[in-house]
Amino acid sequence: MIEKSAEDILLNVQNLSTYFFLYKGVMKVLDSISFDIRKREIFGLVGESGSGKSVTAFSILRLIEEPGRIVEGKVLFKDQDILHFSEREMREIRGKRIAMIFQQAKTALNPFMRVGDQVERIYRVHEKIANEKARRRTIEILRKVGIPESERRARDYPHQFSGGMSQRVMIALMTACNPELLIADEPTTGLDVTTQAQILDLMKEIRDRESSSILLITHDLGIVAQTCDRVAVMHAGHIVERGSVYDIFKEPKHPYTRMLLESIPHVESRLKLKGIPGSVPSLMDIPLACRFSERCSERMPLCLQNRPPTVEVKPGHMVMCCLYA
């Protein structure tokens, strides 16, 4: 793998912590996570439900609402810490330079507006384009994302689109201004296997055509294997392992990563699938001990006493585990 320089880093998240201050206590949903996304790469963020993946996306875009609050860390977008930007400055970034595809496209689209009008509004607001030119650009972007008869379909309402076509409309909305970073939060949820493959191919095509970077959030390791360049594995608000897709799949180091991989069905294998015992622990006033220790078959007394260190086991391959201390 070719080494990348600091100039190739588009987004650098450093020790990001997002807590939710509830009347019962403090919920540490993100606890000092770090990763970077390079230019023109697809970076995967994978883990079980409740591990903090979506909160990571909302924290990057500064969309955390009370009682949540970003309490620590930096989010460097092209070397600028956007956590210190004003809300006006963030509105200039959201949708134009950093865009997000949400899980359920049908609920994210405005049901009372024609889809063409929704896309046109992006051009008028962010690029100050006049109506006729915005209309032409709308037809073009709908065609690019694979919507047939785009001129006619632009006049349809969201309820007239299938799940896969709705997701394509959402991708058209979010890529209309050629964002430098596209955050895709479970973009294939609820879609059949064929449509999933088409959406993932479309995202890779957008990366290649527009030179965008993509943060792909998913619980599906199969999607990560066929789509991403690098990946970070999340568990209970921590990133427990990150590295190239090859390293994570061929040489997984963290017990949680290994157990995730063992839970994937393989067509050629007759081995019985292994589940991960227990569930993601409560993040309410959680102790410093390893958050996976109660579910881990390799735990040691040290795991129950201290927060695990993050160790670089090989260049670019990091693991947060007492086994490598």
Side-chain angles (χ1 to χ4, degrees), residues 109-125:
L109 295 170
N110 187 331
F112 303 108
M113 287 180 67
R114 301 177 193 272
V115 296
D117 293 338
Q118 296 186 52
V119 179
E120 280 184 42
R121 189 169 181 270
I122 297 290
Y123 289 119
R124 291 198 299 269
V125 170

Side-chain angles (χ1 to χ4, degrees), residues 92-99 119-129 137 141 171-181 210 212:
E92 289 295 315
I93 286 180
R94 296 188 196 112
K96 186 174 183 179
R97 301 182 65 192
I98 304 177
V119 179
E120 280 184 42
R121 189 169 181 270
I122 297 290
Y123 289 119
R124 291 198 299 269
V125 170
H126 286 295
E127 298 194 3
K128 315 300 180 187
I129 295 176
R137 293 277 294 274
I141 191 68
I171 292 172
L173 276 166
M174 295 299 103
T175 59
C177 295
N178 298 330
E180 295 160 86
L181 176 63
E210 311 296 347
S212 300

Side-chain angles (χ1 to χ4, degrees), residues 26-245:
V26 180
M27 183 176 290
K28 298 180 179 180
V29 179
L30 296 183
D31 194 4
S32 196
I33 68 168
S34 299
F35 63 93
D36 60 68
I37 300 176
R38 299 164 181 167
K39 295 176 182 177
R40 298 175 296 279
E41 85 165 340
I42 301 179
F43 185 91
L45 191 59
V46 67
E48 295 169 277
S49 296
S51 59
K53 305 186 300 297
S54 294
V55 173
T56 300
F58 284 107
S59 297
I60 291 170
L61 284 168
R62 293 255 309 274
L63 292 174
I64 298 295
E65 297 182 347
E66 291 292 339
R69 190 163 72 245
I70 298 172
V71 299
E72 183 183 32
K74 296 180 179 180
V75 177
L76 301 176
F77 180 63
K78 302 188 79 170
D79 293 328
Q80 290 184 299
D81 189 357
I82 60 178
L83 294 187
H84 295 299
F85 279 21
S86 67
E87 183 55 30
R88 181 178 179 180
E89 290 173 316
M90 284 304 301
R91 284 198 296 268
E92 289 295 315
I93 286 180
R94 296 188 196 112
K96 186 174 183 179
R97 301 182 65 192
I98 304 177
M100 183 169 175
I101 300 171
F102 296 93
Q103 287 189 36
Q104 300 292 339
K106 278 188 173 292
T107 58
L109 295 170
N110 187 331
F112 303 108
M113 287 180 67
R114 301 177 193 272
V115 296
D117 293 338
Q118 296 186 52
V119 179
E120 280 184 42
R121 189 169 181 270
I122 297 290
Y123 289 119
R124 291 198 299 269
V125 170
H126 286 295
E127 298 194 3
K128 315 300 180 187
I129 295 176
N131 287 353
E132 186 55 40
K133 187 177 180 181
R135 196 166 295 116
R136 290 197 303 269
R137 293 277 294 274
T138 295
I139 302 304
E140 181 183 356
I141 191 68
L142 290 175
R143 179 181 55 78
K144 281 184 176 180
V145 299
I147 295 178
E149 301 181 76
S150 55
E151 187 169 359
R152 179 180 65 82
R153 296 308 307 269
R155 298 191 293 271
D156 288 342
Y157 289 90
H159 74 270
Q160 295 174 276
F161 287 79
S162 66
M165 284 297 167
S166 296
Q167 196 62 282
R168 289 175 187 269
V169 172
M170 177 58 66
I171 292 172
L173 276 166
M174 295 299 103
T175 59
C177 295
N178 298 330
E180 295 160 86
L181 176 63
L182 182 63
I183 301 174
D185 187 4
E186 301 276 8
T188 59
T189 297
L191 303 180
D192 61 78
V193 175
T194 301
T195 307
Q196 281 187 21
Q198 292 172 349
I199 294 298
L200 295 172
D201 287 343
L202 175 59
M203 291 176 56
K204 287 188 281 188
E205 180 185 325
I206 289 169
R207 186 270 307 269
D208 297 336
R209 184 177 68 226
E210 311 296 347
S211 296
S212 300
S213 299
I214 298 175
L215 171 57
L216 178 59
I217 296 172
T218 181
H219 64 275
D220 191 330
L221 281 165
I223 288 175
V224 170
Q226 64 180 309
T227 309
C228 298
D229 303 300
R230 292 187 300 139
V231 60
V233 180
M234 286 199 77
H235 176 267
H238 284 160
I239 288 181
V240 296
E241 189 166 3
R242 56 185 166 88
S244 70
V245 167

